[in-house]
Amino acid sequence: MRVTPENLAWLQSLFDDPSLTLVFHNAKFDLEMLYWSHGIDIFNSKAKVECTLILHKVLFSTALSHSLEYIGPKYTGRSEVDKVEITQWLKERNTKRLIRERGGKKLGFDDAPDDLVRRRVLWDVETTILLYGFLRPKVSNVCPDLYETERQLMYVCVDIECRGVVVDLTKARELKEKALGELKRIKRMLNEMVLPLAYVKDRKDRKTGEKVPTEIVIEDDFNPNSPDQLPAAFRKLGIELKYKSKPKKKKNKKTGRVEMMGGGNWSFDEYSMVRYVSKQLAAVIRESGEDGWPAHKFIDEVIRIVKAEKLKERELLPPLVLQYRQLSKMVSTYYDTFLEKAVDRWTAPSGREYGVLHCRFNQSAADTGRFSSSDPNLQNQPRLLGPRECFVPRRGRWNWHLDYSQVEMRFFCHFAEDKGMAKAIDDDVHLYVATKIYKKPKDQVTKEQRKRAKSTGFGILYGSGPAKQAETLTSKGLPTTKLEASVIVAAYHREFPSVRRLTNRLKSELLRNGYIVNPFGRRYHIDKSFSYKGLNYMCQGSSADLIKRAMVDVWNWLRKMGYKARLIMTVHDELVIECPRNEMKKVIPQVMKMMERKKEYFVPIIAEAEVVRKRWSEKESPEDVGLKLAA
DNA sequence: CTGAGAAGCCC
DNA sequence: GTACGGGCTTCTCAGT
């Protein structure tokens, strides 16, 4: 079937028919395509749109995959034969040789014989319908409300993605040039230090296929990002390599097996690098990270210290490489991406160029139920460095960032039902935990002790033990042995016995049922060997489902009321609303109210507001802009 | 071209 | 006796 006006009209009529239920697998994709590319009005659909991907997701949040290919055969008994047929057909004809003979043309579905295409599409359609028949009754029993939230959330996502966010491309260009300049300077210094660089590597002989040790010489361009060149550079400068990466227990998404992944290579992450330099330099590296120093300041300071302390010149290698990595990351992951992906560009009267970034928000990617974001990912924009300077509100609007205050900790309190922690949650939980662990009054708890308590609290939330706790604390500049960490963790459990009760409860529930379920009805099937993840899934997942509920409520309310304010993004525990100034007083307090849950849980769940007038990097408090939000 | 591993950015 | 949660993107290198 082709895209013709008649066909589009027919599609629109389907959406307008209140007696219909339209079932898709990954409906969001189709809705977005129909709306964005073909102008179909999906938002006022009278027909009910359902999605088998989401049905599967709410029942099996942690499944390896939610794709039709994966779950179709699994639950409907349909074979993959009809589907594979066309893939096979294409594969046979898309070999390198055949493509070349054809003059570089790669074959697609359009080129395949009609009957193959038809069978392929029919497979999708029939499998989806069968899947719907299987999943929908289960969902109606298990978690109808959760599903309904996710279902409506599809429209919210489509709206957010199509609207996009505005970026200042002139600023991106400026920041990129600046970073490039710094990179040049660092590269010059590094080249001076390490070139020429020689190392030996096993290379496969073209003829025999044997591995032969081969000497490689880097004459004029050292690449700090190269896993081969970096260790060679360290060795050449006489730095003894000490630290190796550790393997991690992971579930292989392809095989579904639990395997040890990675590990065994020389490690040059920041944590290791800091340990290769004197403590004065280590302190600078840490401080610059915490405060987001500009590159030139960092480099100058590092050089100053090496001179002042009469350190060996080679100590410059680790910090310079770290700075090089940071800058190249900013350029390739952020500035370049903005410049490449921004669309609908325009030049303002000021002469600055702007554009719109349409990233994707995926409501079904994370095991816990959280949102993820990609193409580009808006959820990992650096907090302290340049990229946030590029994000600006639309004309005439301010961006309101409404974030839940310590929401995962609050759900943790809720599940543990710990009265002491509950009392301290609106004040300073970490300080409170410190008073208990160290048996000291508030005013005698040192900054360090609070830091340790905070880290321990998160460690517990993440299911970590003494070894990892010690590592984390040490990496944060608080040297801690495994033994010391185990003392702190023990003290934590001594003071908060409710936490052990909670983890035990989750564990036995997991062993009994094979899954645990959060207050919104979302199920987590977790491998027994990963049962320590249960607590985190409950806290992270409940937070995710709460904000998802709020997003749907807010979006529906804004539409109903006819406001111009719009949701433009979410960062896990934060909603961003672009709001015309004349609507702020009405909209923002109401949105916060819709996010908050002051009575439903063991502790109140509350939101806080900040506002962006010019750039994301310059968030202000409501008082700063003279807006008083009613409590 | 794809996949693995390492690194680093976010909550 | 164990063991830090959830994402995404970039780079390099090896093997297809």
Side-chain angles (χ1 to χ4, degrees):
Chain A
M1 194 166 99
R2 294 185 194 302
V3 178
T4 63
E6 293 74 32
N7 287 336
L8 288 177
W10 174 72
L11 275 170
Q12 181 69 63
S13 76
L14 295 184
F15 280 90
D16 292 339
D17 185 342
S19 69
L20 292 182
T21 299
L22 308 177
V23 183
F24 297 82
H25 190 80
N26 195 5
K28 188 191 129 200
F29 178 88
D30 299 87
L31 290 176
E32 187 155 331
M33 196 244 307
L34 292 172
Y35 166 66
W36 187 251
S37 306
H38 302 296
I40 302 249
D41 178 11
I42 57 161
F43 294 110
N44 296 299
S45 171
K46 300 271 193 305
K48 181 138 191 218
V49 174
E50 305 245 32
C51 175
T52 45
L53 188 155
I54 290 180
L55 285 166
H56 188 260
K57 176 72 186 178
V58 293
L59 289 175
F60 306 103
S61 272
T62 59
L64 256 62
S65 164
H66 306 290
S67 70
L68 198 57
E69 291 88 333
Y70 179 76
I71 65 174
K74 190 165 173 175
Y75 296 109
T76 68
R78 283 179 64 81
S79 77
E80 293 186 58
V81 180
D82 292 353
K83 184 192 158 50
V84 173
E85 216 177 20
I86 191 168
T87 323
Q88 196 64 34
W89 190 92
L90 286 171
K91 210 172 178 182
E92 282 166 14
R93 270 146 258 260
N94 276 338
T95 62
K96 263 193 191 141
R97 187 174 56 85
L98 289 174
I99 291 177
R100 186 156 13 91
E101 284 172 9
R102 231 180 280 125
K105 189 186 181 306
K106 227 178 156 176
L107 263 39
F109 276 27
D110 291 351
D111 307 301
D114 266 3
D115 61 318
L116 283 193
V117 177
R118 201 175 292 273
R119 278 213 286 281
R120 166 64 168 81
V121 172
L122 267 180
W123 188 90
D124 274 18
V125 171
E126 292 171 0
T127 308
T128 301
I129 290 295
L130 289 173
L131 215 41
Y132 181 72
F134 175 76
L135 293 172
R136 180 69 242 210
K138 290 202 178 341
V139 167
S140 299
N141 277 329
V142 173
C143 52
D145 296 346
L146 177 66
Y147 171 67
E148 183 56 20
T149 301
E150 292 280 8
R151 202 187 65 78
Q152 293 188 42
L153 199 54
M154 291 190 302
Y155 297 93
V156 182
C157 288
V158 171
D159 185 35
I160 290 176
E161 289 180 17
C162 293
R163 189 164 308 274
V165 297
V166 180
V167 282
D168 178 343
L169 296 170
T170 305
K171 175 63 86 175
R173 241 175 254 120
E174 288 167 5
L175 291 168
K176 177 184 171 177
E177 288 311 315
K178 210 181 202 177
L180 252 26
E182 303 287 355
L183 279 167
K184 238 180 179 160
R185 181 181 171 204
I186 297 173
K187 193 66 163 284
R188 258 205 311 275
M189 297 171 69
L190 286 173
N191 279 340
E192 205 126 303
M193 287 171 73
V194 306
L195 289 181
L197 189 64
Y199 57 95
V200 176
K201 198 174 170 68
D202 282 353
R203 279 260 140 98
K204 221 163 61 180
D205 188 279
R206 203 169 279 289
K207 284 223 179 92
T208 63
E210 301 259 316
K211 300 230 171 179
V212 180
T214 315
E215 178 163 70
I216 297 175
V217 183
I218 308 293
E219 294 282 359
D220 51 6
D221 195 19
F222 168 58
N223 180 0
N225 288 327
S226 160
D228 291 338
Q229 295 181 33
L230 191 59
F234 270 68
R235 286 216 171 85
K236 172 168 179 182
L237 297 190
I239 303 174
E240 190 195 344
L241 300 183
K242 290 183 190 164
Y243 312 106
K244 293 212 168 172
S245 59
K246 289 187 201 144
K248 252 197 113 182
K249 198 169 75 173
K250 266 175 96 177
K251 205 162 180 182
N252 188 318
K253 285 249 171 189
K254 262 184 95 175
T255 62
R257 286 207 183 333
V258 176
E259 294 166 359
M260 298 304 271
M261 308 277 283
N265 298 313
W266 293 115
S267 189
F268 297 95
D269 58 10
E270 185 179 322
Y271 175 64
S272 307
M273 295 283 232
V274 163
R275 297 162 72 176
Y276 285 118
V277 298
S278 310
K279 58 178 184 295
Q280 298 96 324
L281 278 181
V284 172
I285 292 172
R286 209 171 291 116
E287 198 189 335
S288 73
E290 279 167 18
D291 296 351
W293 288 8
H296 63 87
K297 178 176 173 187
F298 175 78
I299 298 167
D300 292 346
E301 180 65 6
V302 162
I303 293 172
R304 191 188 68 74
I305 288 181
V306 168
K307 282 195 181 139
E309 305 288 333
K310 300 207 186 340
L311 302 175
K312 293 214 167 69
E313 197 206 349
R314 66 176 187 214
E315 296 232 7
L316 280 173
L317 181 64
L320 287 182
V321 169
L322 286 174
Q323 189 64 46
Y324 183 91
R325 282 210 283 244
Q326 189 182 72
L327 289 165
S328 54
K329 172 129 192 156
M330 291 307 126
V331 173
S332 59
T333 305
Y334 300 106
Y335 306 135
D336 275 346
T337 311
F338 299 164
L339 293 165
E340 274 167 28
K341 301 211 170 175
V343 297
D344 300 334
R345 301 177 175 217
W346 72 91
T347 304
S350 63
R352 299 191 82 85
E353 191 190 8
Y354 295 89
V356 178
L357 232 37
H358 297 275
C359 97
R360 294 166 49 195
F361 283 93
N362 192 338
Q363 64 194 104
S364 308
D367 282 355
T368 54
R370 263 196 186 176
F371 262 101
S372 75
S373 156
S374 62
D375 302 307
N377 182 354
L378 290 188
Q379 295 180 321
N380 71 345
Q381 300 301 323
R383 296 164 51 221
L384 301 172
L385 306 168
R388 286 195 187 193
E389 293 177 33
C390 303
F391 290 83
V392 299
R394 278 196 171 71
R395 205 160 217 354
R397 326 243 160 146
W398 288 353
N399 287 350
W400 286 82
H401 293 244
L402 310 174
D403 72 298
Y404 284 110
S405 153
Q406 310 194 64
V407 60
E408 287 181 24
M409 235 4 129
R410 286 172 194 261
F411 271 108
F412 178 61
C413 285
H414 169 71
F415 293 126
E417 298 187 1
D418 190 284
K419 287 200 177 122
M421 238 187 266
K423 267 179 86 173
I425 193 81
D426 281 321
D427 184 23
D428 185 342
V429 232
H430 307 306
L431 179 64
Y432 172 74
V433 171
T435 65
K436 301 292 267 188
I437 289 180
Y438 295 105
K439 296 195 163 151
K440 276 184 173 176
K442 267 189 198 177
D443 47 15
Q444 282 179 37
V445 172
T446 65
K447 272 206 130 116
E448 236 185 79
Q449 286 171 328
R450 184 182 175 280
K451 231 172 166 176
R452 284 200 153 81
K454 181 176 176 181
S455 186
T456 306
F458 277 109
I460 301 279
L461 194 59
Y462 292 157
S464 66
K468 196 70 193 182
Q469 295 265 343
E471 205 180 300
T472 309
L473 282 166
T474 306
S475 78
K476 285 184 183 166
L478 299 173
T480 308
T481 65
K482 201 157 55 167
L483 189 67
E484 288 165 334
S486 66
V487 172
I488 303 177
V489 172
Y492 187 98
H493 281 117
R494 180 194 69 223
E495 294 298 327
F496 304 102
S498 53
V499 174
R500 270 263 188 272
R501 281 200 293 277
L502 172 59
T503 48
N504 287 339
R505 201 194 82 214
L506 290 172
K507 199 167 181 174
S508 67
E509 201 178 317
L510 191 57
L511 292 177
R512 194 168 55 247
N513 303 326
Y515 61 86
I516 53 178
V517 45
N518 83 7
F520 295 81
R522 185 184 296 277
R523 289 184 174 182
Y524 302 110
H525 294 75
I526 301 172
D527 204 296
K528 280 188 286 293
S529 63
F530 289 113
S531 65
Y532 67 90
K533 290 185 177 180
L535 175 60
N536 183 255
Y537 276 35
M538 292 294 277
C539 298
Q540 189 184 119
S542 300
S543 311
D545 284 326
L546 180 62
I547 201 169
K548 280 178 163 179
R549 183 65 246 170
M551 287 171 75
V552 169
D553 290 342
V554 167
W555 192 80
N556 285 335
W557 179 74
L558 288 174
R559 260 170 73 85
K560 190 184 84 191
M561 302 297 286
Y563 286 119
K564 290 215 169 61
R566 290 287 182 266
L567 264 170
I568 56 167
M569 67 165 114
T570 169
V571 192
H572 309 305
D573 62 354
E574 169 180 348
L575 296 183
V576 184
I577 312 254
E578 57 168 38
C579 190
R581 293 186 55 180
N582 64 338
E583 291 181 2
M584 293 183 329
K585 268 190 129 135
K586 285 245 182 290
V587 167
I588 302 305
Q590 182 60 24
V591 170
M592 292 178 74
K593 215 162 146 189
M594 297 172 108
M595 294 172 72
E596 293 178 333
R597 298 290 184 275
K598 291 194 169 159
K599 289 266 147 56
E600 288 81 344
Y601 298 97
F602 194 75
V603 292
I605 290 180
I606 57 170
E608 289 166 354
E610 286 181 295
V611 60
V612 166
R613 292 191 288 181
K614 289 226 147 57
R615 300 182 183 280
W616 190 358
S617 49
E618 300 164 19
K619 282 204 279 199
E620 298 172 276
S621 72
E623 296 83 58
D624 291 337
V625 299
L627 191 82
K628 187 123 169 125
L629 299 173

